[in-house]
Amino acid sequence: MEEDLVKIRREKWEKWKDAFGDKIALKFECENKIDQIVNDYSHKEKEFFDEKKIVVKTAGRIISLRKMGKLTFCHLSQIKSKIQILFEKNSVKEENYKNLSLLDIGDFIGIEGYLLKTRTGELTIAVENYKPLMKCLKPLPEKWHGLQDVEQRYRQRYLDLIINSESKERFLKRIKMVDAIREFMKKKDYLEVETPMLQPMAGGATAKPFKTHHNALDIDLFLRVAPELYLKRLIVGGFEKVFEINRNFRNEGIDTRHNPEFTMMEFYESYSSMDEMMKLTEELLCYVSKEVNGAAEISFNEQKISFNPPYKVVSLLMEARKFLNEKGIDENDLDDSQVREKLCDSYGLSKEKSKSRMKFLVEVFDTFVAPNLIEPTFVVDFPVEVSPLSRKKDDEVVYRFELYILGMEVANGFSELNDPDDQRERFLKQAKEKFEGDLEAMSYDEDYCLALEYGLPPTGGEGIGIDRLAMILTETDSIRDVLLFPLLKPEKEK
RNA sequence: GGGUCGCUAGCUCAGCUGGUAGAGCAGCGGACUCUUAAUCCGCUGGUUCGGGGUUCGAGUCCCCGGCGACUCACCA
C-alpha cells in the first residue's frame, strides 16, 4: 500500500541527519544551471573532457535512478533541462556511495562534480560531492507512461509538470507567448495598467457575473466580466495607449473552450479606430507566432494556418443574408417572432439567442459560418443591437470586428462609442433587456457616461483571448490543458 | 442542466456470457563499474470510487450517489 512506501521513505529520511548532516538543507549554492551546462558542452567531443576537467555545481530533482553495483546513474531535472549524473564508487567517498540507498526518485539533491561523456556519448556529471536537499515522501507516477489520469493531472498539476514533459513544454510555451505579447505592446508604446477586478457593476461585456460581498463597506460587488469601461476611463484621463493582461470572470458553463476565469488582453488607443486595431492584430499574431513557434505558419490537427497578413475579411450580415437567400427566406418576415421560432426549429438554432431579426442573423452566422473560419479571418458588420459599446457606422451596423481562428472567436474589437448621448441610449436599451429577463444584458453605468462627458477621443479598442490563443499556438484541444489550475469541483470528503 | 463513456495496487493497464483479483513499472532483499523503459533472481503490495440490491457467489448484473472526460444547451 502507499502508506508502506511512504513509511520506507520516511525511515530513509530519518537517516539523513546522521549521514549528511541535515534532514532538510537550508539552501544550496547552485552555481550552474543545467540547461546552460547542456548548451555549453553537449556538442563537445568525448576527448575534450579527458583533457580538461570542467567542474560544475548544480541541483535538481532526481527523476530516474539506475543502480548497477558500483555505478549509479540518475537524471537530474531542472525547469528547462535535465542531465545525467553518475556516482562512481571510487569517486565519491565509500560511505557516501553506500548512503545512496537513502535516496529515492523524486528527492532533491545538490551535487558537485566534473563533466564527462559516457560510452554512448551522453553528457554526464561525475559526482564527487553530493548533498540531499529535501525528501520526496510520496512515490512519483511511473516514468514511462507518465500520469495519464486527466483528473489527477488537473488536481495535482505539480505531478503533471514533474512527470509529463509535453505538459511542462506547453506551459513554458504559453509563458513565452505572454512574454512576447507584452514585449510587442510595450514596443508599440502601450502602457500596462491594472484596473479593478472587484466592481460595483459588472460592465464591459454581455455576460453573467459572479457576485460577492465586501463586509466593511457592506456592499455587494461583482467580479469583473471585462476591464473595458475602466480602460476607456484611462483614455479619457489622457493615457493614450493602454493595455491590460488579466483575468475576467463569467458565471457560465464550462467546456473545452470556456473556463469561468480566463485571461484576456484588452487594449485601447487614442485617435485610432477598428482599422488600426485589425492591422495591429495581424502584426501582433505574426510576431508572437514566430517568437513561440519560430514561424508564422503553424499546423493544428493537420490543418495549416498562416498568421501572415493580410487576413480574410467577411461580412457577418452578408454571410447571414446569403444563407437566407439560399433557403428562400424573406428577411422582413424575421420581425415576426413566430416565423423566427419556426425557422429555429427547422434549422436547429437557439430560440433564446434569436429574439429579434438582427439576433437571428447573428445566430445564423454563429451556427453556419463561424465554425468554418479556420484561417485567421476578420468578421465585420455587426448589428448595432448586439454591440452596445461600439460606434455606429449606419443605422444597422457598427464599426466592430471579431477575429476567428479554427472556428473559434479569438478577438473582438471596435471603434469605441464616445458619444455620451448615444451611449446613454444604448445603456437604456440594455437595461430594458435586463429588465425583461436577459441575465447577460449590461447594466446602465452612469458613472461611465459621466466620464464620456469629459471627452473620450476617437479610440480603437480590442480584447484578445489569451487562453484560446495559447490553445492555437500549442496545438491543444482543451482550454484546461493551457490553464495551470482549471476550475474543478472539489472532491467530496469521505 | 441533458446524453454517452470512464473510475481495479503508488503509477500504467488486463480481468470474456457472474466462479479464488493479475501483469509491467515503482518499492524491498540479493548480483552487477557505462546504464538510460538497464538486466537477472526472489519478495511485498488491493475497502475493485462510495452506498444499497439480485445471487450460493458480484470487479463483472440492477438501483442510488460522487468525481471526471466528451458532447448538447449557455458563453468568449
Side-chain angles (χ1 to χ4, degrees):
Chain A
M1 274 179 69
E2 193 188 356
E3 289 94 84
D4 301 329
L5 301 175
V6 171
K7 198 177 157 218
I8 289 163
R9 287 183 174 227
R10 279 191 175 277
E11 282 163 6
K12 291 182 185 176
W13 192 28
E14 286 305 321
K15 293 178 184 158
W16 279 17
K17 189 154 177 63
D18 287 337
F20 307 110
D22 272 323
K23 213 172 142 188
I24 303 175
L26 179 63
K27 62 173 178 178
F28 187 81
E29 301 286 336
C30 186
E31 286 169 13
N32 306 90
K33 294 214 165 68
I34 289 175
D35 74 307
Q36 195 63 49
I37 298 171
V38 171
N39 279 341
D40 290 350
Y41 295 105
S42 58
H43 59 279
K44 300 274 192 206
E45 296 297 322
K46 198 174 193 301
E47 292 70 33
F48 173 86
F49 301 102
D50 298 337
E51 291 157 17
K52 211 168 173 193
K53 184 175 179 183
I54 293 150
V55 175
V56 294
K57 190 176 177 189
T58 192
R61 190 193 283 276
I62 298 171
I63 53 163
S64 69
L65 188 74
R66 293 177 294 282
K67 289 187 183 180
M68 36 172 313
K70 302 189 180 78
L71 273 187
T72 296
F73 290 96
C74 300
H75 271 96
L76 208 59
S77 165
Q78 285 182 351
I79 178 72
K80 282 188 181 159
S81 199
K82 61 177 181 176
I83 194 166
Q84 180 166 263
I85 64 174
L86 166 63
F87 298 87
E88 272 182 295
K89 196 166 187 178
N90 298 336
S91 302
V92 294
K93 273 187 274 169
E94 177 88 23
E95 81 242 34
N96 283 347
Y97 193 82
K98 212 190 280 168
N99 285 334
L100 282 179
S101 64
L102 303 180
L103 298 186
D104 284 298
I105 291 175
D107 291 354
F108 283 98
I109 63 168
I111 59 158
E112 219 172 342
Y114 57 91
L115 296 179
L116 57 79
K117 279 217 165 164
T118 60
R119 210 163 57 187
T120 53
E122 179 167 351
L123 184 66
T124 300
I125 304 173
V127 178
E128 292 178 303
N129 282 305
Y130 72 92
K131 184 174 170 62
L133 304 177
M134 185 58 201
K135 191 78 188 159
C136 175
L137 292 171
K138 296 272 199 180
L140 290 180
E142 194 209 359
K143 62 197 162 193
W144 188 240
H145 298 91
L147 184 61
Q148 296 298 321
D149 185 288
V150 191
E151 182 174 353
Q152 202 180 352
R153 288 174 61 185
Y154 297 151
R155 290 197 195 277
Q156 293 180 279
R157 180 65 88 185
Y158 47 89
L159 290 181
D160 184 39
L161 294 173
I162 291 168
I163 217 79
N164 296 336
S165 60
E166 338 78 64
S167 185
K168 179 167 88 173
E169 294 302 326
R170 189 182 309 122
F171 286 107
L172 289 175
K173 240 183 189 184
R174 179 187 165 126
I175 290 166
K176 202 169 179 185
M177 180 192 93
V178 174
D179 282 350
I181 292 171
R182 216 172 235 123
E183 275 162 32
F184 180 90
M185 296 307 282
K186 289 185 175 175
K187 250 186 264 172
K188 295 281 181 188
D189 291 325
Y190 277 83
L191 302 174
E192 183 168 13
V193 297
E194 298 89 39
T195 62
M197 298 276 195
L198 289 174
Q199 304 180 349
M201 208 180 270
T206 49
K208 286 174 222 158
F210 285 94
K211 193 175 173 182
T212 184
H213 187 81
H214 187 271
N215 290 339
L217 296 179
D218 191 24
I219 50 166
D220 286 336
L221 291 168
F222 297 93
L223 299 188
R224 76 178 188 191
V225 296
E228 170 147 0
L229 300 182
Y230 286 91
L231 290 171
K232 282 192 277 192
R233 282 174 173 95
L234 294 177
I235 299 288
V236 171
F239 280 35
E240 286 150 6
K241 294 167 117 182
V242 293
F243 78 102
E244 175 166 9
I245 298 175
N246 225 322
R247 229 63 71 78
N248 291 338
F249 306 86
R250 300 190 183 173
N251 206 340
E252 284 152 4
I254 299 175
D255 60 35
T256 47
R257 295 174 170 195
H258 299 85
N259 193 63
E261 55 177 314
F262 65 102
T263 303
M264 281 249 288
M265 173 167 79
E266 283 204 15
F267 50 101
Y268 293 84
E269 177 170 347
S270 306
Y271 318 121
S272 182
S273 75
M274 70 178 262
D275 295 329
E276 288 71 26
M277 295 295 103
M278 288 160 76
K279 280 211 186 67
L280 190 79
T281 304
E282 290 174 333
E283 199 185 327
L284 170 70
L285 294 190
C286 196
Y287 173 80
V288 171
S289 180
K290 283 177 184 165
E291 287 291 309
V292 173
N293 286 319
E297 299 86 19
I298 62 162
S299 63
F300 194 104
N301 295 347
E302 325 252 298
Q303 299 175 97
K304 295 252 181 287
I305 294 172
S306 168
F307 289 107
N308 282 316
Y311 299 168
K312 264 185 294 177
V313 178
V314 304
S315 161
L316 185 149
L317 285 185
M318 273 173 58
E319 294 295 326
R321 283 172 176 148
K322 209 190 283 173
F323 176 86
L324 298 186
N325 277 339
E326 283 166 12
K327 305 293 176 193
I329 302 164
D330 182 348
E331 186 182 339
N332 291 314
D333 293 345
L334 293 176
D335 288 329
D336 183 335
S337 68
Q338 288 188 339
V339 172
R340 290 198 307 270
E341 289 189 11
K342 225 180 208 167
L343 289 170
C344 282
D345 282 336
S346 39
Y347 293 105
L349 302 172
S350 159
K351 289 180 198 166
E352 202 56 40
K353 288 201 281 183
S354 310
K355 284 190 169 162
S356 70
R357 178 208 287 221
M358 282 302 167
K359 284 187 176 168
F360 182 91
L361 292 175
V362 172
E363 173 65 5
V364 164
F365 182 87
D366 285 347
T367 308
F368 297 109
V369 185
N372 304 319
L373 302 177
I374 305 303
E375 287 257 10
T377 303
F378 289 118
V379 176
V380 297
D381 292 342
F382 282 78
V384 178
E385 195 184 330
V386 298
S387 316
L389 301 168
S390 322
R391 181 171 170 150
K392 272 183 203 157
K393 192 170 175 183
D394 52 40
D395 286 341
E396 194 166 65
V397 299
V398 292
Y399 290 105
R400 175 181 171 191
F401 67 92
E402 285 185 348
L403 176 66
Y404 278 81
I405 305 171
L406 291 161
M408 203 159 49
E409 185 192 332
V410 172
N412 177 17
F414 32 89
S415 299
E416 303 297 333
L417 172 57
N418 58 350
D419 175 348
D421 300 332
D422 191 358
Q423 185 66 74
R424 283 203 171 90
E425 276 175 37
R426 308 269 198 104
F427 274 150
L428 272 177
K429 276 210 185 93
Q430 288 289 312
K432 192 167 158 256
E433 286 184 18
K434 190 162 209 158
F435 183 75
E436 285 165 359
D438 185 349
L439 294 171
E440 286 157 17
M442 284 182 201
S443 300
Y444 190 112
D445 192 338
E446 178 53 29
D447 185 73
Y448 173 69
C449 295
L450 173 67
L452 289 187
E453 286 188 311
Y454 286 90
L456 176 72
T459 298
E462 181 175 343
I464 296 180
I466 296 299
D467 312 296
R468 288 186 173 180
L469 191 57
M471 287 168 68
I472 293 165
L473 293 179
T474 58
E475 205 175 345
T476 302
D477 288 311
S478 170
I479 195 168
R480 287 178 218 105
D481 292 324
V482 298
L483 298 170
L484 284 166
F485 299 100
L487 184 67
L488 295 183
K489 221 171 179 177
E491 283 171 305
K492 218 177 168 186
E493 292 285 329
K494 283 178 190 163

